[in-house]
Amino acid sequence: MPSSHPQPPAASAAGSLFSAFVPLLPLTLAVFAGFFAMGMALPVVPRHVHDTLGMGTVMVGVVMGIQYLSSILLGRGWSGTVTDTRGPRRAMLAGLLGVASVGGVYFLALAFADPSLALAVLIAGRLLTGVAEPFVITAALSWGIARLGPAHAGKVIGWVGMALFAAYGFGAPAGAAVYARFGFAGIAAATVLVPLLAFGVAWAMRGQAPAGGVRPAFTQVLGAVKLPGLALTLCSFGYAAINAFVVLLFVQRGWGSAALAFTSMGAGFILARLLVGHLPDKLGGAKVGIVCVAVEAVGQLLIWGAPGALLACVGAALTGGGYALAFQGFGVESVRRAPPQSRGAAMGGYVVYQDISMALAGPLGGWLALQAGLGSVFMAGAVASLGAAGIALWMLRHPVSS
């Protein structure tokens, strides 16, 4: 029977990232299943809004981006509070039930013949996604750190991040296949059922008791992690730029499909985590962050100045690898700056800064593209990454005690 009693740290101070694989495996499986369900909707919802409901591209962008609004305004803070006060297991279960509920809302949208009403319900589902997703990821990060100890925060962020990335990578083509065979109702059904599998995994795990002590307000926690958070905002711009604009860049330059660019970025991300994902714990988050955002800046510059698709894909791979380790490194710095009783809120607050970048990269990048061409978006990504390096250098010269 599941217990809420604390469990002693499950890993020693071994340097290898793989020392944390087995202790974190149930958590990463739960994260994979939950985000696989959300990833299935990514290539499908835009087609449903545009082709079935007859809406324009602006409305497609609104529907896909609006989840960041609910994440920033509600999901991150609420999930951190529940994780810290009720325990990460309860927060994880709530988040997975929330993801399953998104599938129910998708079913409800199909009940309306009026496209405007169906769209309104679909937007409600995307807003709910923006609340459910932070519960899953915040709980997983906090739970993993509680199991392994804060000295292994980088490994926790590394494995949980790879599970999330892999879930989106596999979920998107699976969603396209389900949609082709069963339509949007198939996506709705899968979004209900798949998170329930993850719910079973999380239910079977032993929980961690919340840490004692007075918990500061979420706004105070945001302030405590503002330096690593701002660095994350800046270095996330390059990652978001590839997601939003590399397809248009390939079309404009006559390079054909940009699929290889996305594959290259994903390969760089996972390879960096597997090969050197232990370094933020071993060397320190700020020190690793300086190097990795510099690598990301080089990747963005390669995309900006690439004479052909091959060099652009190399740039995408460097961007993915640099961003993967930068996210880990600045995450380790956030854990160090947060009191033990507020680590869930710290993780939620830290990712808020990524949400801000992801939400702003589209409109800001679009404006830059109109003013100076599509290549300027990636030049801006390089400049932003170098700004993150400056913040990392400041943190390195002004360390805080754990």
Side-chain angles (χ1 to χ4, degrees):
M1 184 176 200
S3 168
S4 60
H5 294 298
Q7 189 175 23
S12 67
S16 170
L17 182 73
F18 292 92
S19 64
F21 176 74
V22 173
L24 293 176
L25 183 58
L27 269 178
T28 54
L29 288 175
V31 169
F32 179 86
F35 279 86
F36 184 91
M38 288 182 276
M40 292 181 76
L42 290 180
V44 171
V45 171
R47 291 179 60 187
H48 183 70
V49 172
H50 187 271
D51 299 342
T52 305
L53 301 183
M55 303 296 169
T57 54
V58 172
M59 187 54 65
V60 170
V62 169
V63 171
M64 296 307 295
I66 201 166
Q67 78 173 71
Y68 292 112
L69 180 64
S70 56
S71 288
I72 294 170
L73 296 180
L74 181 60
R76 300 298 177 192
W78 190 13
S79 64
T81 299
V82 172
T83 298
D84 289 331
T85 58
R86 309 299 294 275
R89 178 175 176 272
R90 184 165 295 189
M92 172 72 80
L93 294 174
L96 292 170
L97 285 179
V99 177
S101 298
V102 171
V105 176
Y106 288 167
F107 267 124
L108 182 61
L110 290 171
F112 293 93
D114 186 333
S116 297
L117 291 176
L119 179 68
V121 176
L122 198 59
I123 288 174
R126 298 300 297 168
L127 288 170
L128 180 56
T129 301
V131 176
E133 179 268 330
F135 270 81
V136 176
I137 198 67
T138 301
L141 292 171
S142 181
W143 204 347
I145 292 170
R147 287 171 66 86
L148 302 187
H152 298 278
K155 297 181 186 67
V156 173
I157 296 170
W159 281 115
V160 170
M162 280 192 285
L164 185 158
F165 206 93
Y168 277 151
F170 287 105
V178 169
Y179 184 69
R181 184 171 178 83
F182 301 105
F184 196 68
I187 293 297
T191 307
V192 172
L193 295 176
V194 174
L196 296 182
L197 298 176
F199 185 93
V201 173
W203 180 266
M205 291 179 64
R206 179 176 295 180
Q208 302 287 153
V214 177
R215 293 176 175 81
F218 185 65
T219 51
Q220 291 179 273
V221 177
L222 279 175
V225 301
K226 63 180 180 295
L227 284 176
L230 181 57
L232 179 65
T233 297
L234 291 172
C235 72
S236 293
F237 187 90
Y239 172 75
I242 291 178
N243 284 332
F245 296 104
V246 78
V247 170
L248 298 179
L249 185 76
F250 269 58
V251 170
Q252 184 186 76
R253 296 184 178 179
W255 294 342
S257 170
L260 185 58
F262 289 108
T263 301
S264 299
M265 183 171 68
F269 186 101
I270 293 175
L271 192 62
R273 287 274 172 95
L274 290 176
L275 293 179
V276 290
H278 63 288
L279 291 183
D281 290 332
K282 183 177 181 180
L283 302 178
K287 185 177 293 186
V288 171
I290 291 173
V291 176
C292 292
V293 293
V295 170
E296 183 180 355
V298 171
Q300 291 286 288
L301 288 173
L302 284 177
I303 298 173
W304 167 70
L310 180 60
L311 198 58
C313 289
V314 172
L318 290 176
T319 297
Y323 182 67
L325 271 295
F327 189 102
Q328 272 183 276
F330 297 136
V332 167
E333 291 294 328
S334 294
V335 171
R336 293 181 62 202
R337 283 163 166 75
Q341 67 272 22
S342 295
R343 287 200 176 113
M347 287 293 92
Y350 173 62
V351 183
V352 163
Y353 290 94
Q354 182 195 45
D355 288 339
I356 292 170
S357 186
M358 299 298 283
L360 294 179
L364 286 178
W367 179 82
L368 276 173
L370 286 174
Q371 300 301 314
L374 279 168
S376 66
V377 179
F378 301 97
M379 172 62 77
V383 172
S385 295
L386 293 177
I391 296 173
L393 180 62
W394 196 96
M395 288 190 289
L396 186 62
R397 291 179 174 177
H398 300 83
V400 295
S401 57
S402 299

